[in-house]
Amino acid sequence: MNITIDNKKIQLKEGMSILEAALSNNIYIPHICYHPDLKPVSVCRLCMVDVKGKGLTVSCHTPIQEGMVVKTRSTEVDKVRRLSTQLLIVNNLSGKARRDQNKQNELLKIAKYVGITKEDLKRFRISKKKYAIDSSNPFFDRDMNKCVLCGICVRTCEEIERLGAIDFLFRGYDTTIGTFANKPLKESICEACGECLVRCPTDALRLKKPQNPDSKVRSTCVYCGVGCGIYLWVRNKKIVSVSGDRDNPVNRGILCVKGRFGFDFIHHPERLRSPLIKKKGKFVKASWKEALDLVAEKFSYCKSDDFAALSSAKCANEENYLMQKFTRAVMGTNNIDHCARLCHAPTVAGLVQSLGSGAMTNSISEISRAACILAIGTNTTAAHPVIALKIKEAVQNGAKLIVANPKEIDLCRHADIFLQHRPGSDVALLMGIMRVIVEKGLIDKPFIEKNCENFQAFEEALDSFDLDFVEKATDVPRKKIIEAACFYATRKPAAIFYAMGITQHTHGTDNVLATSNLALLTGNIGKPSSGVNPLRGQNNVQGACDLGALPNVYPGYQKVNDADVKEKFETAWGVSLSDKIGLTHLEISDAIYNGKIKMLYLMGENPILSEANSRHVEKALKRLEFFVAQDLFLSETAKLADVVLPAASFAEKDGTYTNTERRIQRVHKAIDPINGTKPDWWIICEIAKRLKAKGFDFTHPREIMDEIALLTPSYQGISYARIEDIGLQWPCVSSEHPGTQFLHAVKFATKNGKGKFIPLKYRAPAECPDKEYPLILTTDRSLYLFHTSTLTRRVKGLDALNPQELLNINPKDAACHGIDDGEIVQIISRRGKIKVRTKLTDICPPGVVSMTFHFSESPTNVITNSAMDPVAKIPETKVCAVQIKKLRK
Amino acid sequence: MNFDELKNTAKKEWKELESSNKPLLLVGNATCGHSAGSSDVLDVFRERVKKLDIDCNIIEVGCIGLCYAEPIVCIKKPSKPIICYANVTSSKAAELVDKYLLKDDLLLNYALGTIGDGEIKGLPDLFQTPVFQPQVRVILRNCGFIDPTNIKHSLANGGYAGFVKALSLEPDKIVEEIKKSGLRGRGGAGFPTWRKWQLCRDVKEKEKYLICNADEGDPGAFMNRSLLEGDPHSLIEGMLIAGFAIGAKEGYIYCRAEYPLALERLRIAIKQVQELGLLGNNILDSGFKFHIKIKEGAGAFVCGEETALIASIEGNRGMPCPRPPFPAISGLWKKPTIINNVETLASVAFILQKGADVFSRYGTKDSKGTKTFALVGKVKKTGLVEVPFGVTLRKMIYDIGGGVLKDKTFKAIQTGGPSGGCIPKDLLDIPVDYDSLKTAGTIMGSGGMVVMDENTCMVDFAKFFLDFTQKESCGKCVPCRLGTKQILEILNDITEGKGKEKDIDLLSELSETVKAGSLCGLGQTAPNPVLTTIRYFRKEYESHIKDKKCPAGVCKPLIQYSIDEVKCIGCGVCKKACPNKAISGEKKKPHKINKSKCIKCNVCFDVCKFGAVKII
């Protein structure tokens, strides 16, 4: 399309607005309410131009047309533009602000462009309204005195966050922007993500502590498994702020509250700055040499299976690789595990069995184009906020959303169907849905015949899931089950998303298999925007699994008891290796308790808060002969260690994380390690070298990745050079391979290439409510905190947004117990008791209460059940029976 | 029952009512009647006829148009013409029962005239009096004569015949008929109705919507309200026709919640139409399906703007969006949507009932048909008026309106509400049509007409409307939100004697920018009252600014009260009435006003019977 702007002939694609056309050709047209991420609203009226034959035209809202002749200035245009600018300045910029030419204020830029003088402004009457500054949000202030009401914040919250926490209020000159009932931000549904803040063209939304960073470094967010691309902004060797990386295909620059504001922990005064050695029950500062020597000496006395290592899903791929290599090659045991055991062990165990690969089948960028989404056992808006945005976007694009959750979570607001099933009844619910699909003839027969096996056995298993039974087992009305089944089976592509609500059960593996059965049954796999999509919790839990921080597999899920594999690694590492499958997380705790394991090397984990029945873990750890903990902070668990090694944070080292969609992304060193700390990879190497081990002479994580690529088939094509800017998704099998956007496109990753149906039986949770313990406790997450809060509660603002544990309880249950909102009660299970404050809410159905596990003051896992899934060995943290005791006032 | 049977039953009942040997009482009980006390009057009638055991039919009807004469009661006794009684109070009502219903005393001194066939000596035919003579009754033909809560009254008077006729036509033919009629949108802008419909028809979409804009928000305008209260079926019929023509299955009536009576009558009407099978699924077995929902607006003026109205129906804050796309292409729920004003749709019903030719017989070349107006302000006979386009303003004010109140001098007339402008004395002979009003710097608007006399200050008047539009601006776009505020502040200053020399230029500059730069119709027309008052009454602005005087004596800071020593007889009434003890003087001697104590409340001016208190 050819148009002319200011006598310049321009060729452009159709569909652009005049403003976009001009800006993309470096022709400036003043504007303040336009933002490339948002729909144009043309309220500032500054972008008006003169279009030949049309006269005054709003350029942000008018699409270009063939042969259009545009003048960005004319007498008429200038008249409107000048006066509007003058009015805005008179209203929104104090004299002081007008003189401050350094301010990043669009209005000043425009004033300069149109050339406004003092005399111009003197003509006007000024009767400015005074607004009190809303400083309730811990990270940024809202100053409506500076607001030009461009509405970018309102539209951001609506169009990007799909939250609608703010809107225009009142009318005429009194128009302002505020929350529902004009309350402070903190009291509203605002999630403090700061997306409005970064788009505000004036100073109305501003950081509490504005920073002027001097450089930025590309990195990856350290919180959840979404793996958002970020920039760390540095000033004076300090990380001062974080922004989203707009080029990153995962988040396209969008961040959640933790991702944007959760980084104060890096320079927190409580960071460990020196190794500590416990002498006579007290920690004493030690030099690195002293500490490492001691560790090496102790470890050298340790017989292979007396040793265990707990690796970390917070640490980089390279570090996890080294940790398992150290455990296997140096210590001679497969006793290595990490927190994936407590979250997605059933995913790995289950999906490997049915699909051949235990990872998210599809990609984040595909979500918005799904026609149907089943979100089961995932509180996505709290635990994976940026993926939740994609789900909401899909809904906006017309997708049907089915939410299955025992609690009426926030995502339900966007759902077409909400299945509120009883905790632990997932197999019944999903098999019931599948039975409806089979009965209604909605299965994808050609797909099943061509690509799957074991269908008949599976079909027979459906016999025991008639809807009478399913209704009874799940508490979900059959009408809804049928409706959900029809939506899922007929609206393609349909994608399943799940998280801990599926896995943290004694039948977690069955739950996972139920999801893969469902996808296979309808052919919703191996295609874009479909699949089975486990949402991984930690930033690098996918990578830690991929790289063999598991007791049964080497990197790339190569089995330790496979002779060929063993030989491959023995050759590569130049040592002989054990083919005995090691112990899992909880088994390690038990073995320590029973005196079978004597030494533990723990890297970046806090099992005292994260492991079910945690009092038992605590007792066990106290029985260790020698315990090394490696962490940023002296966590609840590290306090029990004999030696504590202070590690560098992600901002202080290089490495890679693998996110939930299998994308291997770079973490770049932005600052030197805080004085006294060392990167985890360096520490492991130092210990190994002291034990005379070979193959630990690394000088940079890049070299570790090269070794990983040699030994890990799915990572074969990965090298730092390739992923410097944008990560690649495994499998990436050669240096030319582009990575894999979605799995199972041609055939399944199973041995025979077929997807396997698995017949399932319904099993109730290990502990069901009874007379003595009448309520079910299920665990949940807060948007503002992460895991055991070692990091997030060291960020003042995040702590302020969610300062204490709350027991969510239905008002009916509360009434039965005579409990008020905000009252402190005791919650008791067969394993322990804790005190906690109540929150009366309909989010929980009667009979179900919930808590997070972010708080050491009320450590939820003291009461959770450590009964395990027989296959994946994951404890059932999602269901346990509890009673509530009112404390005497 | 098919439609003919429905119609015939209704006609039969209507005829029985008309030719009954029982007296028939039509009591005007629309909002204008209400506020004048018609409910009390109605109670008196009912109680009294019951007490005296008089067998008669009492029907509540809508407004006949003579608001100044409310409560109005029309009484038809067998073998007598209908007599229209004005300003009926409770005692007059009792008297009417006792003397006219029971006996045969016509009580002519309470009567305005007769209506319809028959003559009564000494009483004019109401429709031949100067108030009605220039008027026609097309849109308002049923108002004041039928019971708006009884669909049979509508059916008996031709109601829904137009819709039934439409059902037998191809939608294209209906559009053609509307085109032939020359009907232009009555909401203000005057866009040809057929063209709007055609635009919508041309969009290939299964779902389309029709919205009736009943968000009448201009201060002093009540044309739509009266029609909804007096004859809601003419709107519903118009909506059915429009819905059928454009291919909509669902219609909304967006009506302000401040119109409780109109809403009540609409609800009753919709229920009755549904019950007769004229609204709903498969209407009259034609396969046409149409439903009507009522959406109550919360009274934001801007929600009369089409896109804001749509936002409001969708449950969002009522704020306009930039166009295109026009609602006819993408409107409610992003589907093609036609938004027509109440009067437009009522006209559609008339056109289909009586034919485009009958409709286009009225009016001028480019403004066909009739238009209703709310004639208010400083005029003797305020009320609801319907005239063919082309009548002069002079006729409107002096014949229909009976001239300026208290026979003061006419100064200006404001048309089109806050979006319109004022027209001075010199232009009183221009015809009332879309284009002539535009040339004069104002607009037709939805039909508000405010008459101003010599005691109106034009700066103060402009300030009044700007205060309104400024408060009602949605606040979205900069020129409207900040520009109208700035204009208002300047006008405030001028009326307070703080005007600066260049303020008139600044006002013009601001006004032109707000007009050119604003996003929606509200802002684009908001400065009209300022621009027209500057255009026609610039001198008044100048005397406020330069001489610090308000020639009309309205702007308090610019006036002073004094007592004319010659005229004052020293009666002491003003002294007694002054709330601030600012007046002193001995009995029977001229009094004086202490200017430092005077709070300019105007009480002394009002109470003086000798014209001795002067405003200077």
Side-chain angles (χ1 to χ4, degrees), chain A residues 202-449:
Chain A
T202 69
D203 216 17
L205 291 169
R206 55 175 182 259
L207 274 176
K208 278 207 152 64
K209 286 181 270 169
Q211 308 285 358
N212 294 312
D214 40 36
S215 64
K216 61 174 180 176
V217 178
R218 201 174 229 150
S219 195
T220 304
C221 178
V222 77
Y223 285 108
C224 75
V226 177
C228 294
I230 56 171
Y231 280 107
L232 296 170
W233 292 81
V234 185
R235 181 182 173 85
N236 289 338
K237 296 179 183 169
K238 271 194 149 188
I239 307 296
V240 292
S241 65
V242 170
S243 67
D245 175 2
R246 292 179 70 96
D247 299 324
N248 187 294
V250 173
N251 60 318
R252 295 274 167 222
I254 310 280
L255 293 176
C256 75
V257 56
K258 297 188 290 284
R260 185 177 314 282
F261 299 117
F263 294 92
D264 286 356
F265 70 86
I266 297 170
H267 300 286
H268 196 277
E270 283 170 24
R271 273 287 295 275
L272 292 166
R273 285 175 162 81
S274 155
L276 302 172
I277 296 174
K278 204 174 260 168
K279 290 178 180 165
K280 292 179 190 159
K282 274 192 178 165
F283 281 121
V284 180
K285 280 187 186 170
S287 70
W288 272 102
K289 186 176 177 305
E290 191 186 349
L292 290 169
D293 285 350
L294 176 65
V295 171
E297 188 200 335
K298 290 280 184 184
F299 282 177
S300 70
Y301 303 145
C302 192
K303 274 193 281 169
S304 54
D305 286 343
D306 292 356
F307 176 87
L310 289 175
S311 197
S312 174
K314 272 258 159 296
C315 290
N317 283 324
E318 295 74 3
E319 290 156 347
N320 276 288
Y321 173 81
L322 285 186
M323 194 57 150
Q324 62 86 34
K325 183 177 178 185
F326 174 79
T327 307
R328 295 187 162 116
V330 184
M331 302 308 292
T333 177
N334 286 314
N335 288 341
I336 177 164
D337 206 359
H338 71 284
C339 72
R341 185 65 51 201
L342 311 175
C343 63
H344 270 294
T347 296
V348 179
L351 295 186
V352 166
Q353 199 183 337
S354 58
L355 309 178
S357 181
M360 183 164 163
T361 58
N362 290 59
S363 285
I364 295 166
S365 61
E366 298 168 15
I367 300 173
S368 58
R369 288 185 299 276
C372 180
I373 287 174
L374 168 61
I376 181 167
T378 159
N379 187 359
T380 329
T381 56
H384 302 91
V386 172
I387 286 187
L389 296 184
K390 306 274 177 184
I391 294 178
K392 293 183 203 171
E393 194 184 334
V395 173
Q396 193 74 22
N397 292 344
K400 294 285 173 194
L401 174 62
I402 307 161
V403 173
N405 206 300
K407 289 172 65 182
E408 195 176 343
I409 51 170
D410 184 56
L411 199 60
C412 295
R413 290 197 296 133
H414 305 268
D416 295 279
I417 304 175
F418 171 40
L419 310 169
Q420 192 164 24
H421 60 306
R422 194 181 297 162
S425 65
D426 312 78
V427 167
L429 179 69
L430 292 170
M431 289 295 269
I433 287 174
M434 286 186 267
R435 180 157 161 153
V436 174
I437 292 173
V438 171
E439 280 176 356
K440 288 196 178 278
L442 299 173
I443 62 170
D444 187 342
K445 224 173 179 177
F447 177 86
I448 295 169
E449 277 167 11

Side-chain angles (χ1 to χ4, degrees), chain A residues 45 61 125 170-172, chain B residues 317 472-473 486 493 503 517:
Chain A
R45 317 304 279 177
H61 190 262
R125 293 357 185 220
F170 310 113
R171 264 184 267 168
Chain B
R317 184 182 152 93
E472 292 293 343
S473 158
Q486 197 59 237
D493 276 4
D503 275 350

Side-chain angles (χ1 to χ4, degrees), chain B residues 452-471:
Chain B
M452 288 162 271
D453 66 10
E454 56 193 294
N455 293 124
T456 312
C457 165
M458 297 315 283
V459 185
D460 182 63
F461 163 81
K463 192 175 87 176
F464 169 82
F465 278 117
L466 258 293
D467 183 52
F468 178 84
T469 39
Q470 185 275 130
K471 280 186 182 133

